[in-house]
Amino acid sequence: MDLLLDVNIVLDICQPRHPFADSAHLALSKCHREGGRMWLYAGAVQTMLYLLANGLLDDARRAGTALSRAEALGRSRRLLQVFSADKQWLSALAGEGDVFADDDPENEQLVRALDRFKEGGIRLLTRDDRLLGSCTTAISCADYLVLAPRAQSLEFIDLATQQALIRPRLERQVHRVLHHGQYIMGPEVIELESRLAATVGVKHCVTTSSGTDALLIALMALGIKRDDEVITTPFSFFATVEVILLLGAIPVFVDIDPRTYNLDPNKLEAAITPRTRAIVPVSLYGQCADFDPINAIAARYKLPVIEDAAQSFGATYKGRPSCSLTMIACTSFYPAKPLGAYGDGGACFTDDDEIAARLSRLRDHGQSGRYRHTEVGINGRLDTLQAAVLLAKLDIFATEVLARQCAAARYDALIRSLLSNIAPPYLEPWCTSVYAQYTLNVENRAELQNMLQSKGIPTAIHYPTPLHSQSALGLSSAESRSFTHAETAAARVISVPLHPYLEEATQIAIIRAVAAAYAGKR
Ligand SMILES: Cc1ncc(COP(=O)(O)O)c(C=O)c1O
């Protein structure tokens, strides 16, 4: 549980030898121990500074020592600087300034700010009797100290810790958009595109409203139309095949390599026919498909390749970044992705000037100038607000990728030492993965999933049904070819929590729980 610290608590701690300092210190260390965050209200900065300076002046007067007002203010600034260094700042929002009708505008501001939090997620730590009497969220140090800690739920992906880390940056970016008001194709979109292109090392990035739309316009830019065949994997998120079907084209599936879950290049050539127009391998779970042999075959048949890199932005293949390996690559900024927005978003990458220009037109209703529609496109632009969020997240992305890889390495080691029946995910020696998912291949998956759930460990299945068996494709089992490895994977894969802020102790508990689930079965 988080704590919003009222000014009186801040003063208790910052003012040396304050009579209430001990209980305030104990409350803050309890919050820290229990993994809560402590917030200071930005609207109260001035009050904190002046009341602290007054307190220091009173102390000096009582002690008979000389202290000027300027010295007291200087000392207060330094004390508050140290105190606030590990705290979160809760910004004062416009509506919270409108409190002058209230008898106590400062308290009313705090109470309004609390409304932003999930119910039960925060308490206002205070020793103000009025607040303690009127605000159900307010709590005194004494009561907080005896409050039973709330059971912490384990998240599959911990976006809250990431947000706490970049909150000032995020707020700055988002507020900038609110002020300039260019909500469509604002400067953040342009900046993001140039930073993403530079990160990947390609000439062009064209952002889109989702990963799905990125794939759709990539196929449109290549002129894919009704009855064209597009080769792809049967083991992916539905969007990969959905966009092919939306254009009236025919998906032709090539089974996966059972170790990497990615399209098996050895089976690719047999699927090519005179009607094949494109190949869409997916870099699943964060590891790139084997693009050298795929590109070599594609080149022989003069076929374009589109990397569905929705899960692999940040990964590398033979030292080259995902999204730089094919004629066009498409990624997703869905919130749970390694680089995730606070809503939908996506991007296409290409080195080809003409394709880039076409992608730009297609994501904007096929416009080549204002209200000049030279082809039929879609409304597929990324919102400026999402671009602003992504810019804040991009600043820490490289560090987060390393943290994901470290967490995966810890899982690998734990699995090798604690599990005899399950292997860590296979990583090709020439690949680095961004571990969009950390996915195990197990027997008795449903039992394992139930057992983990009963211990509060969330899991996910990516994906329980292979694409060729989805009813939307309308293929009867007689019509549909069988893709043995995709079908086996769909029945056996299970992903466990992985994110940059996952702690080793949690990982040990998770792998021990997996071991316990199989303990009676050996
Ligand atoms: C492999 C794959 N392709 C495409 C998509 C579609 O991306 P979006 O959800 O951003 O539309 C996803 C998203 O989950 C995905 O995992």
Side-chain angles (χ1 to χ4, degrees):
M1 182 200 291
D2 288 4
L3 288 180
L4 175 57
L5 307 181
D6 196 1
V7 173
N8 48 47
I9 302 293
V10 177
L11 300 182
D12 290 353
I13 292 204
C14 291
Q15 220 173 309
R17 292 180 298 283
H18 193 281
F20 294 105
D22 287 352
S23 58
H25 273 296
L26 286 172
L28 267 54
S29 44
K30 173 177 153 79
C31 181
H32 184 70
R33 243 188 353 266
E34 291 172 5
R37 273 186 279 273
M38 285 168 265
W39 295 84
L40 302 174
Y41 184 58
V45 163
Q46 201 72 335
T47 314
M48 279 178 212
L49 189 62
Y50 281 89
L51 291 185
L52 182 54
N54 288 347
L56 296 179
L57 285 168
D58 284 348
D59 286 351
R61 215 169 294 127
R62 270 194 295 273
T65 37
L67 183 71
S68 70
R69 176 138 204 99
E71 283 169 335
L73 277 170
R75 202 176 291 174
S76 301
R77 277 195 290 106
R78 286 190 295 279
L79 285 164
L80 287 168
Q81 191 180 9
V82 172
F83 177 73
S84 62
D86 63 345
K87 309 289 181 298
Q88 302 285 313
W89 281 104
L90 191 60
S91 42
L93 300 187
E96 289 152 14
D98 173 27
V99 287
F100 295 111
D102 197 272
D103 288 349
D104 191 339
E106 271 202 70
N107 279 353
E108 180 58 19
Q109 272 191 312
L110 277 184
V111 172
R112 289 195 193 183
L114 285 167
D115 278 350
R116 290 186 235 159
F117 286 79
K118 201 160 56 180
E119 202 171 328
I122 196 161
R123 299 298 296 262
L124 169 61
L125 194 70
T126 182
R127 80 185 151 68
D128 182 316
D129 288 335
R130 272 183 70 162
L131 276 172
L132 288 168
S134 63
C135 171
T136 51
T137 316
I139 191 165
S140 66
C141 289
D143 286 345
Y144 175 67
L145 283 169
V146 294
L147 196 70
R150 267 174 34 129
Q152 290 238 33
S153 62
L154 173 57
E155 304 286 339
F156 191 71
I157 296 170
D158 179 5
L159 292 176
T161 302
Q162 180 200 53
Q163 189 186 90
L165 208 66
I166 57 167
R167 200 170 170 105
R169 247 180 285 205
L170 265 173
E171 289 184 355
R172 215 177 314 122
Q173 291 285 3
V174 169
H175 279 250
R176 213 169 71 172
V177 179
L178 294 182
H179 287 289
H180 68 53
Q182 292 183 55
Y183 306 119
I184 303 292
M185 295 307 289
E188 286 74 13
V189 176
I190 315 304
E191 183 185 345
L192 180 69
E193 290 182 343
S194 94
R195 281 185 60 190
L196 288 173
T199 303
V200 167
V202 298
K203 271 170 88 177
H204 306 282
C205 167
V206 176
T207 53
T208 56
S209 47
S210 68
T212 307
D213 284 341
L215 285 166
L216 182 63
I217 63 168
L219 291 174
M220 289 166 81
L222 296 175
I224 304 300
K225 56 183 190 321
R226 181 159 299 282
D227 295 334
D228 287 345
E229 288 180 3
V230 177
I231 294 177
T232 191
T233 163
F235 194 54
S236 179
F237 178 61
F238 189 66
T240 313
V241 72
E242 191 174 34
V243 291
I244 298 169
L245 294 165
L246 274 171
L247 295 175
I250 300 162
V252 173
F253 296 111
V254 168
D255 205 0
I256 54 169
D257 175 334
R259 294 175 313 167
T260 61
Y261 306 107
N262 286 331
L263 187 150
D264 185 346
N266 297 315
K267 298 187 174 144
L268 174 58
E269 195 156 6
I272 296 174
T273 76
R275 289 203 296 175
T276 308
R277 294 288 174 268
I279 304 168
V280 185
V282 178
S283 298
L284 205 70
Y285 301 151
Q287 171 172 212
C288 288
D290 197 358
F291 280 105
D292 276 357
I294 291 173
N295 284 336
I297 296 165
R300 231 179 297 136
Y301 289 87
K302 297 192 169 36
L303 290 170
V305 179
I306 300 173
E307 180 188 14
D308 179 342
Q311 302 186 12
S312 61
F313 184 81
T316 61
Y317 173 85
K318 301 186 180 172
R320 289 172 288 151
S322 170
C323 295
S324 72
L325 305 165
T326 53
M327 180 173 280
I328 308 176
C330 303
T331 196
S332 161
F333 302 128
Y334 182 79
K337 295 287 190 256
L339 180 62
Y342 285 160
D344 280 309
C348 295
F349 295 86
T350 185
D351 268 324
D352 186 304
D353 298 344
E354 259 176 56
I355 288 178
R358 186 138 196 227
L359 289 168
S360 292
R361 287 196 300 273
L362 286 167
R363 68 142 174 219
D364 193 16
H365 301 287
Q367 291 186 89
S368 49
R370 195 159 171 79
Y371 301 132
R372 254 191 322 120
H373 301 271
T374 46
E375 58 191 314
V376 174
I378 62 169
N379 176 354
R381 300 166 305 234
L382 181 74
D383 290 350
T384 308
L385 277 168
Q386 295 306 337
V389 169
L390 287 163
L391 280 171
K393 292 201 179 192
L394 196 55
D395 289 342
I396 55 162
F397 182 65
T399 313
E400 287 197 334
V401 170
L402 287 176
R404 283 177 171 279
Q405 290 165 344
C406 285
R410 287 196 298 266
Y411 265 143
D412 290 354
L414 283 164
I415 289 170
R416 285 196 191 98
S417 72
L418 296 177
L419 304 177
S420 53
N421 57 333
I422 297 173
Y426 176 77
L427 187 63
E428 296 282 17
W430 51 80
C431 283
T432 63
S433 175
V434 72
Y435 293 100
Q437 308 298 342
Y438 189 90
T439 305
L440 304 175
N441 192 308
V442 303
E443 278 169 21
N444 303 321
R445 180 177 66 189
E447 256 178 77
L448 173 65
Q449 193 169 32
N450 288 338
M451 176 86 107
L452 293 178
Q453 194 183 2
S454 72
K455 294 184 175 173
I457 298 171
T459 55
I461 311 295
H462 305 102
Y463 297 93
T465 308
L467 297 179
H468 60 280
S469 306
Q470 292 286 357
S471 55
L473 270 71
L475 300 174
S476 66
S477 48
E479 280 174 293
S480 173
R481 278 188 45 216
S482 154
F483 299 94
T484 317
H485 294 313
E487 283 150 24
T488 308
R492 292 176 59 102
V493 290
I494 182 167
S495 306
V496 290
L498 189 134
H499 56 78
Y501 308 99
L502 190 61
E503 288 178 358
E504 185 169 15
T506 311
Q507 296 186 271
I508 293 172
I510 292 170
I511 299 304
R512 281 202 180 135
V514 175
Y518 290 105
K521 299 200 166 10
R522 261 175 260 144

Coordinates of all heavy atoms in Angstrom, one line a residue, residues 210-213 215 236-237 239-240 282 284 308 310-311 332-334 337 344-345 463, ligand 1:
S210 N -1.7 0.7 -34.2 CA -1.5 -0.5 -33.5 C -0.6 -1.4 -34.3 O -0.2 -1.1 -35.5 CB -2.9 -1.3 -33.4 OG -3.3 -1.7 -34.7
G211 N -0.2 -2.5 -33.7 CA 0.7 -3.5 -34.5 C -0.1 -4.1 -35.6 O 0.4 -4.4 -36.7
T212 N -1.4 -4.3 -35.4 CA -2.3 -4.9 -36.4 C -2.3 -4.0 -37.6 O -2.1 -4.4 -38.8 CB -3.7 -5.1 -35.8 OG1 -3.6 -5.8 -34.6 CG2 -4.5 -5.8 -36.8
D213 N -2.5 -2.7 -37.4 CA -2.6 -1.8 -38.5 C -1.2 -1.6 -39.2 O -1.1 -1.4 -40.4 CB -3.0 -0.4 -38.0 CG -4.5 -0.4 -37.8 OD1 -5.2 -1.3 -38.3 OD2 -5.0 0.5 -37.1
L215 N 0.9 -4.1 -39.6 CA 0.9 -5.3 -40.5 C 0.0 -5.1 -41.7 O 0.3 -5.4 -42.9 CB 0.5 -6.5 -39.8 CG 1.5 -7.1 -38.8 CD1 0.8 -8.2 -37.9 CD2 2.6 -7.8 -39.5
S236 N 0.9 -17.9 -33.8 CA 1.1 -16.5 -33.5 C -0.2 -16.0 -32.9 O -1.2 -16.7 -32.8 CB 1.4 -15.8 -34.8 OG 1.6 -14.4 -34.6
F237 N -0.2 -14.7 -32.6 CA -1.4 -14.0 -32.2 C -2.2 -13.8 -33.5 O -1.7 -13.7 -34.6 CB -1.1 -12.6 -31.6 CG -2.3 -11.8 -31.3 CD1 -3.2 -12.3 -30.3 CD2 -2.5 -10.6 -31.9 CE1 -4.3 -11.5 -30.0 CE2 -3.7 -9.8 -31.6 CZ -4.5 -10.3 -30.6
A239 N -3.8 -11.6 -35.0 CA -3.6 -10.4 -35.9 C -2.7 -10.7 -37.1 O -3.0 -10.2 -38.2 CB -3.0 -9.2 -35.2
T240 N -1.8 -11.6 -37.0 CA -0.9 -12.0 -38.1 C -1.6 -12.5 -39.3 O -1.3 -12.1 -40.4 CB 0.2 -13.0 -37.6 OG1 0.7 -12.6 -36.4 CG2 1.3 -13.2 -38.6
V282 N 7.0 -14.6 -38.0 CA 6.8 -13.9 -36.7 C 8.0 -14.2 -35.8 O 8.5 -15.3 -35.7 CB 5.5 -14.4 -36.0 CG1 5.3 -13.7 -34.7 CG2 4.3 -14.1 -37.0
L284 N 8.5 -14.7 -32.5 CA 7.7 -15.0 -31.3 C 8.4 -14.9 -30.0 O 9.6 -15.4 -29.9 CB 7.0 -16.3 -31.5 CG 5.6 -16.5 -30.8 CD1 4.6 -15.6 -31.4 CD2 5.2 -17.9 -30.8
D308 N 7.0 -9.9 -38.6 CA 6.0 -9.5 -37.6 C 6.9 -9.5 -36.3 O 7.1 -10.5 -35.6 CB 4.9 -10.5 -37.5 CG 3.9 -10.1 -36.4 OD1 4.2 -9.3 -35.5 OD2 2.7 -10.6 -36.4
A310 N 6.1 -7.8 -33.5 CA 5.3 -7.3 -32.5 C 5.9 -7.6 -31.1 O 5.8 -6.8 -30.1 CB 3.9 -7.8 -32.6
Q311 N 6.6 -8.8 -31.0 CA 7.1 -9.2 -29.7 C 8.6 -9.1 -29.6 O 9.2 -9.4 -28.6 CB 6.7 -10.7 -29.5 CG 5.2 -10.8 -29.5 CD 4.7 -12.2 -29.1 OE1 5.5 -13.0 -28.6 NE2 3.4 -12.5 -29.4
S332 N 4.6 -3.7 -32.3 CA 3.4 -3.3 -31.6 C 3.8 -2.6 -30.3 O 4.8 -3.0 -29.7 CB 2.6 -4.6 -31.2 OG 1.7 -4.3 -30.2
F333 N 3.1 -1.6 -30.0 CA 3.3 -0.9 -28.7 C 2.2 -1.1 -27.7 O 1.9 -0.3 -26.9 CB 3.5 0.6 -28.9 CG 4.7 0.9 -29.8 CD1 4.5 1.8 -30.9 CD2 5.9 0.3 -29.6 CE1 5.6 2.0 -31.8 CE2 7.0 0.6 -30.5 CZ 6.8 1.5 -31.5
Y334 N 1.5 -2.3 -27.9 CA 0.4 -2.7 -27.0 C 1.0 -2.6 -25.6 O 2.2 -2.9 -25.4 CB 0.0 -4.1 -27.3 CG -1.1 -4.7 -26.5 CD1 -2.4 -4.3 -26.7 CD2 -0.8 -5.5 -25.4 CE1 -3.4 -4.8 -25.9 CE2 -1.8 -6.1 -24.6 CZ -3.1 -5.7 -24.9 OH -4.1 -6.2 -24.1
K337 N 3.7 -5.0 -24.2 CA 4.8 -5.4 -25.1 C 6.1 -4.8 -24.4 O 6.0 -3.9 -23.6 CB 4.7 -4.8 -26.5 CG 3.5 -5.4 -27.2 CD 3.9 -6.8 -27.7 CE 2.8 -7.4 -28.6 NZ 1.9 -8.4 -28.0
D344 N -3.1 1.6 -27.5 CA -2.6 0.9 -28.7 C -1.6 1.7 -29.5 O -1.7 3.0 -29.4 CB -3.8 0.6 -29.6 CG -4.5 -0.7 -29.1 OD1 -3.9 -1.7 -28.9 OD2 -5.8 -0.6 -29.0
G345 N -0.7 1.1 -30.2 CA 0.2 1.7 -31.0 C 1.1 0.7 -31.7 O 1.1 -0.5 -31.4
Y463 N -0.1 -19.4 -27.5 CA -1.5 -19.2 -27.7 C -2.2 -20.6 -27.7 O -1.5 -21.5 -28.2 CB -1.8 -18.5 -29.1 CG -1.1 -17.1 -29.0 CD1 0.2 -16.9 -29.5 CD2 -1.8 -16.1 -28.5 CE1 0.8 -15.7 -29.4 CE2 -1.2 -14.8 -28.4 CZ 0.1 -14.6 -28.9 OH 0.7 -13.4 -28.8
Ligands
LIG1 C1 2.8 -11.6 -32.9 C2 1.9 -10.4 -32.9 N1 1.5 -9.9 -34.1 C3 0.6 -8.8 -34.1 C4 0.1 -8.3 -32.9 C5 -0.9 -7.2 -33.0 O1 -0.4 -6.0 -32.3 P1 -1.5 -5.0 -31.7 O2 -2.1 -5.6 -30.5 O3 -0.7 -3.8 -31.4 O4 -2.5 -4.7 -32.8 C6 0.5 -8.8 -31.7 C7 0.0 -8.3 -30.4 O5 -0.3 -9.0 -29.5 C8 1.4 -9.9 -31.7 O6 1.8 -10.5 -30.5

